[in-house]
Amino acid sequence: MTVRTSDIEKAAGVLRGGGLVALPTETVYGLGANAEDPAAVARIFQVKGRPPSHPLIVHISGAEYLDDWVQDVPATARLLAEHFWPGPLTLVLRRGRRVPLEATGGLETVAVRVPDHPVALALLSAFGGGVTAPSANRFGSVSPTTAAHVRAELGDAVDFVLDGGPCDIGVESTIVDATGEVPSILRPGGVTREALEAVLGCPISVPSTSLVRVPGQHPSHYAPRARVILVEPEKVASEAELAQEQGHQVGVLLPPACAGAAVKAHAVVALPGSMAAYARGLYGFLRELDQQGCDLIVASLPVEEGLGLAIANRLRRAAGPRPTV
Ligand code: TXA
Ligand code: MG
């Protein structure tokens, strides 16, 4: 999908004027503001309904601008930036003076990335500065992977939406704490753990992935309206049928191993076999099951390697306990 140069210019003007622009990236759509404009940054939190203590990612147009935004960059961070940018890797580093505390939730560190999307890069170049952008969804809900998702969720609260077509990767960037010489993964995402380890030449730690149904461990995030329950792959069909018999409108994410099984449920998504296609489709599948009126989604976790690690992380969070307010 091509975006007109005039739209890029218009979007850059909106950013300069303190407005909000929804922009496509290779991972998910972002809700962008001028990173150096505290009032515009504050509007992001207001529109998303996000607590101001949750820090944002600053998007920049190239690794060569990294030192404008951060300080004390360890050699490992440079190696990762060189290797993976533009791409779905976010580096957490020490905050440079240009970054207002409003963007970092008061932290002395800042998350930075160079998105691998021609429209995002064109906007960043035309604008000439950094763009803070969280995923363009309301706090806690499913991230948008099309411009239509953004419009459906945020509507008029966004001043301008750049439509760059569906996102290629479909899950958010991998966030790496790169403040020290030994980096660690804070959030699995589009760059796999294996790819990071191949470049680093050593293992990298990831947040603990505890068992599926431990209550209280995974506060809900990336969540559809429907409640999500996670079961073993071979039990997806039977658990779905049971819940349907009990009166739920059940949506099913059917693992490829069960393809072809006739499942008695309200709506069934047959998951693709490749992890890349699963990641690309994941948020759209969850939105679709919501739209079809499901109140319960039965799913299982994929094998946690490659993109499966990020998919499993999002499903666990989607299945986490919901706020009771
Ligand atoms: O792929 C992505 O990363 C997308 C696209 C739009 O770039 N953005 C995204 O932003 O997912 P958001 O705000 O939905 O998630 C950013 C995450 C948050 O969980 C936040 O806690 C973490 O980054 N983060 C930001 N700054 C941080 C910091 N200084 N230290 C630790 N975590 C940080
Ligand atoms: Mg988000």
Side-chain angles (χ1 to χ4, degrees):
M1 173 162 306
T2 51
V3 171
R4 287 193 301 261
T5 314
S6 57
D7 279 342
I8 298 286
E9 289 301 333
K10 189 172 164 190
V14 169
L15 292 175
R16 279 184 212 111
L20 302 186
V21 172
L23 66 146
T25 81
E26 79 282 33
T27 57
V28 301
Y29 273 73
L31 178 62
N34 177 358
E36 292 172 271
D37 179 344
V41 173
R43 258 192 79 204
I44 290 183
F45 288 96
Q46 190 200 334
V47 165
K48 273 188 68 94
R50 171 161 161 154
S53 58
H54 283 237
L56 304 175
I57 297 172
V58 177
H59 296 70
I60 60 174
S61 61
E64 63 271 34
Y65 302 111
L66 180 61
D67 295 285
D68 294 351
W69 301 93
V70 301
Q71 38 187 327
D72 304 336
V73 181
T76 4
R78 291 220 190 267
L79 177 72
L80 293 176
E82 265 166 37
H83 205 89
F84 291 104
W85 284 353
L89 176 72
T90 294
L91 296 175
V92 172
L93 288 159
R94 280 227 326 150
R95 181 177 71 94
R97 273 193 294 277
R98 234 173 133 172
V99 182
L101 285 167
E102 282 80 358
T104 70
L107 294 175
E108 285 305 330
T109 54
V110 62
V112 184
R113 88 175 187 102
V114 180
D116 187 14
H117 193 292
V119 174
L121 289 172
L123 176 63
L124 288 166
S125 296
F127 173 59
V131 172
T132 39
S135 49
N137 52 282
R138 302 227 177 251
F139 182 63
S141 80
V142 176
S143 300
T145 50
T146 67
H149 294 162
V150 177
R151 290 194 190 98
E153 191 146 345
L154 299 179
D156 292 343
V158 189
D159 299 307
F160 195 65
V161 179
L162 280 171
D163 187 347
C167 301
D168 195 39
I169 292 179
V171 291
E172 296 81 353
S173 61
T174 302
I175 303 180
V176 167
D177 179 349
T179 49
E181 276 303 332
V182 181
S184 63
I185 294 177
L186 300 175
R187 175 181 74 181
V191 169
T192 64
R193 172 190 199 164
E194 294 83 349
L196 287 167
E197 289 179 342
V199 169
L200 293 169
C202 63
I204 184 166
S205 70
V206 288
S208 69
T209 49
S210 54
L211 286 170
V212 177
R213 270 164 287 177
V214 180
Q217 293 259 84
H218 301 283
S220 144
H221 213 88
Y222 311 105
R225 240 187 358 258
R227 195 158 65 84
V228 178
I229 58 166
L230 298 173
V231 301
E232 297 305 324
E234 61 278 10
K235 294 203 175 129
V236 168
S238 57
E239 294 277 340
E241 288 183 8
L242 189 65
Q244 185 75 24
E245 276 162 23
Q246 288 168 345
H248 285 287
Q249 297 295 308
V250 178
V252 181
L253 294 183
L254 193 67
C258 311
V263 186
K264 288 193 218 81
H266 182 66
V268 178
V269 173
L271 292 173
S274 95
M275 281 297 140
Y278 188 175
R280 192 177 305 129
L282 175 66
Y283 291 141
F285 300 151
L286 295 174
R287 278 175 193 273
E288 194 181 307
L289 293 176
D290 265 350
Q291 251 158 30
Q292 293 197 29
C294 299
D295 63 86
L296 185 73
I297 295 173
V298 180
S300 64
L301 296 177
V303 176
E304 292 183 59
E305 53 191 38
L307 283 172
L309 189 65
I311 295 169
N313 171 273
R314 304 308 187 267
L315 286 173
R316 279 205 185 85
R317 300 287 303 271
R322 303 281 168 99
T324 47
V325 279

